[in-house]
Structure formats: C-alpha cells, structure tokens
C-alpha cells in the first residue's frame, strides 16, 4: 500500500504574490511553543508584513504545524497538506485586517482554517466515518484504570465519530477547537467571530448531544476519546 510522504512547506512572499514551495521533509515539523516565539509578537510581525510582505513567512514558521495538525484531524493528512497552504495564503491576503488587540495570531488562523474546513464538510463527514481507531500507549501509572478507560474509549470511538458528524457545523467547530486544539473560550470566540456566551452554549449543546448519543457515557470518557483525535 502506498504511503503518504510528508512534506515540509516553505512560505515565500514576494510583493503581492504568494508562493508555497514543497520539498521532502528531512524531519517532521515541530510545533512551536510560546517560548519559541520570543519577544516579537505575531501582531508586530503582521504589521511589519503589510510593508514588507516577506516578513509574513515567520507567521507560517510559527503556526503551520498546529494548523496542519488541526486540518489533518478534521479532513485527513492528504487534504491538510493542500489546505494548510490555502489557510496561510488566505491569512496573508487578509493580514491588513488582523485584529491587533490579539498578540497571538493562532486563534485567527484557526478561524480561517475552520472556514476552509466548512467548504469541505461532505468530505469531513466521510472521514469521520472511515477513520480508524487510534489509542496511544498506556503509562505504567494507574495501569489497570488506564486500560479500562482505553478499552471503553475504543468501543465508543466509532459511535462518537458518527455523533460528531451529526452535530451542527457551529457546535462541532467549537467542540473540536476546544477538545483538540486546547483553545480557551475567548480564543474560540475570536477565531469564529462569535460572542463568548455563544461558545459556551454551543459547547454545552454539543456535549449534551454526544452524551445522549453515547448512552449517557461519562463526560471523562468522552473527553478521553476526543482528546486522542
């Protein structure tokens, strides 16, 4: 069976033209932490990029691994490889409209990526139904309890994915940005351009529906399955 070769992606900006060049990966991209970002915030870089477009490539370097992971979880790796480029090209074209009250661009990029996912909703639903279960290795600590949780999570994975596919687009987007990407309520609100109160109501509605469709499974078990993507 053919394997999908990973690619490193380099964003090169020249004037108003945006090019994404692919080359085979020597090593996998490592998601950056807040410590990696250093003293120069995203908002400073984006403001500079309005005058000097090449500067925007730093935003790609910082956040592409996170956005790629999110897209891969929602649509699969092959689609993510294409759509991460589309996400950053869209962000580049909108950089002059970035809300400078937010020093971190990642929620903004998640919002753009989520809209792109919405354009591929049918494919996403198909991926939910076809994705195979994945359970990470258990640790030695609390081994018996962990095994029991994993076994339960395995049995719930397929019905959970089917339940996710039945959520409304807005409820699913909120749930996955929080469960998968660890965004705070205010960051989800910024990403999706909705009030924090709407984030809370959508999340509560999504969790309630999942519990109902999974026969009242404990919230901790549902979170376990979700967090493992």
């Amino acid at each position: 069976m053919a394997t999908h070769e990973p690619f490193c992606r380099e964003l090169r900006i020249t004037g108003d033209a945006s090019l994404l060049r692919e080359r085979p990966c020597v090593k996998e991209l490592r998601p950056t932490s807040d410590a990696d970002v250093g003293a120069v915030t995203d908002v400073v870089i984006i403001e500079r990029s309005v005058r000097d477009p090449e500067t925007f490539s730093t935003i790609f370097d910082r956040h592409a691994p996170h956005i790629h992971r999110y897209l891969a979880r929602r649509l699969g790796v092959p689609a993510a490889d294409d759509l991460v480029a589309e996400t950053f090209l869209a962000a580049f074209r909108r950089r002059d409209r970035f809300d400078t009250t937010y020093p971190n661009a990642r929620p903004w990029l998640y919002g753009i990526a989520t809209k792109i996912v919405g354009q591929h909703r049918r494919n996403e639903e198909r991926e939910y139904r076809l994705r195979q279960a994945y359970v990470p290795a258990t640790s030695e600590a609390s081994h018996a309890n962990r095994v029991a949780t994993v076994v339960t999570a395995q049995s719930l994975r397929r019905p959970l994915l089917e339940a996710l596919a039945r959520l409304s687009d807005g409820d699913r987007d909120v749930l996955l940005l929080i469960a998968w990407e660890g965004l705070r309520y205010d960051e989800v609100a910024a990403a999706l351009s909705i009030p924090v109160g709407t984030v809370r109501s959508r999340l509560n509605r999504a969790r309630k529906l999942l519990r109902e469709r999974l026969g009242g499974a404990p919230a901790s078990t549902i979170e376990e399955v979700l967090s493992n993507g």
Side-chain angles (χ1 to χ4, degrees), residues 56-134:
F56 195 82
S57 61
T58 301
I59 298 298
F60 181 88
D61 294 337
R62 288 180 176 181
H63 302 297
H66 297 274
I67 301 303
H68 183 275
R69 179 188 63 190
Y70 173 62
L71 290 168
R73 281 172 147 178
R74 299 204 65 170
L75 297 172
V77 173
D81 286 345
D82 294 328
L83 296 182
V84 72
E86 187 176 333
T87 298
F88 279 91
L89 293 180
F92 174 71
R93 296 186 184 109
R94 302 174 193 172
R95 69 194 188 282
D96 60 338
R97 287 172 277 168
F98 177 70
D99 186 347
T100 56
T101 61
Y102 294 95
N104 188 339
R106 196 171 298 159
W108 175 60
L109 293 167
Y110 278 130
I112 294 172
T114 299
K115 290 178 181 177
I116 290 173
V117 166
Q119 298 168 5
H120 297 263
R121 190 67 65 186
R122 290 183 182 177
N123 288 338
E124 180 187 41
E125 292 177 358
R126 177 171 54 84
E127 290 293 336
Y128 277 139
R129 299 179 188 281
L130 295 178
R131 283 169 57 197
Q132 296 180 354
Y134 163 76

Side-chain angles (χ1 to χ4, degrees), residues 181-194:
E181 304 307 317
L183 268 64
R184 303 188 308 269
Y185 288 8
D186 62 318
E187 291 177 326
V188 175
L192 302 180
S193 300
I194 57 177

Side-chain angles (χ1 to χ4, degrees), residues 188-208:
V188 175
L192 302 180
S193 300
I194 57 177
V196 172
T198 302
V199 172
R200 295 181 186 276
S201 62
R202 288 183 182 181
L203 182 63
N204 290 336
R205 186 165 54 240
R207 285 173 170 169
K208 179 181 179 181

